[in-house]
């Protein structure tokens, strides 16, 4: 017999859904058969699979270790509960900890440095997701029905605020808020030339999956999605303009390609920018990546979840200090000085 104690991340899930995640090599019919025969019990009682799990509940699996390992792909001897912790990777934990802007029991918001991937592109990459799992001491080899993850992505060379879900509820609610644009996202962008005034630009964007590059046009065309970007002129610096950009829609490379399409490419953007301008800023300031920074996240000032655990985020505004490449051009504490 193998006993599993329900953890916080499984609380509220249906028993059958959790069992499907545990028994990855079995079909739904088999799981319900085992429930009917009481080979699987909940709190030592027969269950039909529709029960909502509570933290601390006991799921008992009346299988041999060999059968369990075959059905789940996990070693039975390693299973203690649904929140087993591995030995911590101290270096990764400290690295991730240094990025944290805000944290509660469900959510952690970080200031990602430029050069760090949001998610792996190949097996050897280190990404925000990897650092998050190390920080939370998540054991990928243990039995898990939930995996903490990022809720929004940034390009490798874009710095700034990223939201991560630590729990199932944290991931679910933050994903929904971001998907429905309930969370407002603002970016700092240093662009070529003098942008005349604050404004809004609308266009259509198409992504070529093979090249991972997008095309933007001011009229609809085949396969393209509508995009909308707002921007506010903050200041001017040596043939450049500092913008505060608000994403209305949120497509791949939207800000970078959209600003480039109106002849104001982002400084340091070697995919959509202007080569001679980028080379000059690289030569004069050592700029090697685009000066685009996820600066501000604003949560809605309304009930954002039916659970009390998200009251802490209601109406909150988070800001992240910009990186060293920005400082080389606009100086330290620019925004703080402007506000004072």
């Amino acid at each position: 017999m193998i006993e599993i104690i329900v953890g916080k991340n499984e609380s509220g899930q249906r028993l059958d859904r959790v069992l499907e995640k545990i028994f990855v090599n079995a079909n739904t019919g088999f799981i319900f058969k085992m429930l009917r025969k009481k080979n699987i019990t909940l709190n030592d009682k027969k269950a039909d699979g529709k029960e909502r799990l509570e933290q601390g509940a006991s799921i008992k699996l009346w299988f041999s270790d060999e059968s369990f390992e075959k059905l789940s792909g996990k070693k039975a001897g390693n299973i203690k509960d649904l929140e087993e912790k591995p030995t911590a990777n101290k270096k990764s934990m400290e690295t991730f900890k240094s990025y944290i802007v805000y944290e509660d029991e469900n959510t952690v918001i970080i200031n990602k440095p430029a050069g760090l991937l949001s998610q792996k592109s190949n097996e050897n990459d280190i990404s925000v997701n990897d650092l998050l799992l190390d920080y939370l001491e998540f054991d990928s080899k243990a039995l898990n029905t939930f995996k903490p993850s990022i809720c929004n992505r940034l390009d490798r060379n874009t710095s700034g605020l990223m939201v991560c879900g630590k729990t199932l509820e944290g991931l679910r609610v933050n994903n929904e808020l971001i998907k429905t644009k309930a969370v407002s996202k603002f970016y700092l962008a240093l662009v070529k030339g003098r942008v005349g005034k604050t404004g809004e630009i609308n266009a259509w964007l198409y992504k070529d999956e093979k090249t991972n590059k997008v095309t933007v046009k001011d009229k609809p065309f085949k396969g393209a999605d509508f995009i909308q970007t707002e921007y506010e002129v903050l200041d001017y610096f040596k043939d450049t303009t500092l913008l505060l950009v608000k994403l209305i829609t949120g497509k791949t490379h939207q800000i970078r390609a959209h600003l480039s399409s109106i002849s104001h490419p982002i400084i340091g953007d070697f995919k959509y920018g202007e080569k001679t301008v980028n080379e000059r800023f690289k030569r004069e300031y050592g700029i090697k990546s685009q000066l685009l920074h996820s600066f501000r996240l604003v949560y809605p000032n309304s009930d954002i979840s039916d659970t009390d655990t998200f009251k802490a985020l209601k109406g909150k505004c988070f800001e992240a200090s910009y990186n060293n490449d920005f400082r080389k051009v606009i100086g330290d504490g620019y925004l703080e000085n402007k506000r004072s």
Side-chain angles (χ1 to χ4, degrees):
M1 185 275 290
I2 299 161
E3 182 179 21
I4 299 173
I5 304 302
V6 174
K8 180 173 63 176
N9 289 328
E10 287 66 42
S11 179
Q13 294 191 56
R14 274 178 39 163
L15 173 59
D16 58 340
R17 298 290 184 261
V18 170
L19 292 172
E20 287 172 3
K21 295 171 185 175
I22 293 173
F23 293 115
V24 294
N25 297 325
N27 57 38
T28 304
F30 172 83
I31 290 171
F32 281 104
K33 181 180 178 180
M34 294 299 99
L35 286 167
R36 289 194 301 271
K37 294 179 67 175
K38 294 183 68 174
N39 283 46
I40 302 173
T41 60
L42 178 63
N43 295 326
D44 295 316
K45 296 179 181 179
K46 185 176 181 179
D48 63 14
K50 296 180 182 179
E51 296 84 355
R52 294 285 175 180
L53 297 175
E54 295 183 359
Q55 187 172 352
S58 167
I59 302 171
K60 288 183 179 177
L61 311 170
W62 298 89
F63 297 91
S64 68
D65 287 358
E66 183 181 351
S67 295
F68 177 83
E69 290 167 15
K70 181 178 179 181
L71 292 166
S72 69
K74 301 287 184 181
K75 290 287 185 182
N78 294 336
I79 303 305
K80 294 179 181 177
D81 56 35
L82 293 174
E83 292 187 332
E84 185 176 8
K85 301 294 185 183
T87 303
N89 183 327
K90 299 297 184 183
K91 185 176 180 180
S92 292
M93 288 178 70
E94 289 304 312
T95 298
F96 189 86
K97 189 175 181 179
S98 70
Y99 302 155
I100 294 176
V101 173
Y102 169 85
E103 183 176 13
D104 61 30
E105 63 176 315
N106 295 291
T107 303
V108 58
I109 299 174
I110 68 164
N111 183 2
K112 182 186 86 69
L116 178 63
L117 287 165
S118 297
Q119 293 178 306
K120 285 181 181 291
S121 59
N122 63 62
E123 187 177 349
N124 296 321
D125 287 332
I126 298 297
S127 69
V128 172
N129 254 346
D130 298 305
L131 296 175
L132 170 68
L133 295 176
D134 282 340
Y135 174 71
L136 297 176
E137 300 179 69
F138 182 84
D139 188 355
S140 60
K141 295 181 180 179
L143 177 63
N144 298 291
T145 65
F146 163 78
K147 191 173 185 178
S149 179
I150 60 173
C151 302
N152 66 307
R153 286 184 288 182
L154 294 177
D155 296 336
R156 179 198 287 264
N157 290 318
T158 298
S159 59
L161 293 168
M162 288 186 65
V163 180
C164 308
K166 294 169 58 178
T167 63
L168 179 67
E169 181 70 0
L171 194 62
R172 181 185 69 80
V173 174
N174 279 301
N175 276 339
E176 181 65 18
L177 291 171
I178 291 170
K179 180 180 178 181
T180 59
K181 310 297 188 296
V183 174
S184 298
K185 295 187 284 187
F186 297 84
Y187 293 72
L188 292 177
L190 190 71
V191 302
K192 171 199 169 187
R194 189 179 182 91
V195 180
K197 59 181 180 179
T198 292
E200 175 187 302
I201 44 179
N202 302 317
W204 282 260
L205 175 150
Y206 171 78
K207 180 182 178 182
D208 187 327
E209 297 291 345
K210 292 182 179 179
T211 63
N212 192 35
K213 191 171 183 179
V214 303
T215 300
V216 171
K217 297 182 180 180
D218 59 4
K219 294 181 180 179
F221 62 103
K222 186 178 180 180
D225 295 314
F226 177 74
I227 57 172
Q228 190 173 27
T229 309
E230 293 180 354
Y231 60 89
E232 175 187 348
V233 173
L234 296 180
D235 214 333
Y236 301 102
F237 296 89
K238 194 177 181 180
D239 304 323
T240 64
T241 305
L242 182 65
L243 301 176
L244 180 66
V245 181
K246 182 180 181 181
L247 273 180
I248 307 302
T249 56
K251 299 297 181 181
T252 302
H253 300 173
Q254 176 178 323
I255 296 175
R256 296 164 62 188
H258 212 172
L259 291 172
S260 180
S261 74
I262 60 168
S263 301
H264 293 293
I266 295 172
I267 302 300
D269 187 345
F270 288 87
K271 180 170 281 191
Y272 301 102
E274 190 171 304
K275 184 177 179 180
T276 55
V277 173
N278 290 337
E279 287 178 346
R280 177 166 66 86
F281 274 83
K282 182 178 180 180
R283 184 172 60 253
E284 293 181 11
Y285 297 97
I287 304 300
K288 297 179 181 179
S289 60
Q290 64 257 14
L291 293 184
L292 179 64
H293 177 70
S294 177
F295 171 62
R296 181 186 296 151
L297 293 174
V298 182
Y299 276 79
N301 191 24
S302 59
D303 292 332
I304 61 177
S305 172
D306 55 3
T307 61
D308 290 339
T309 52
F310 273 84
K311 287 183 178 178
L313 288 172
K314 181 179 178 180
K316 283 285 184 68
C317 175
F318 300 99
E319 293 186 351
S321 58
Y322 47 80
N323 61 41
N324 287 332
D325 279 353
F326 266 97
R327 292 189 180 94
K328 292 173 185 176
V329 182
I330 70 175
D332 287 322
Y334 165 77
L335 292 172
E336 291 81 357
N337 294 336
K338 288 285 285 186
R339 290 169 180 155
S340 60

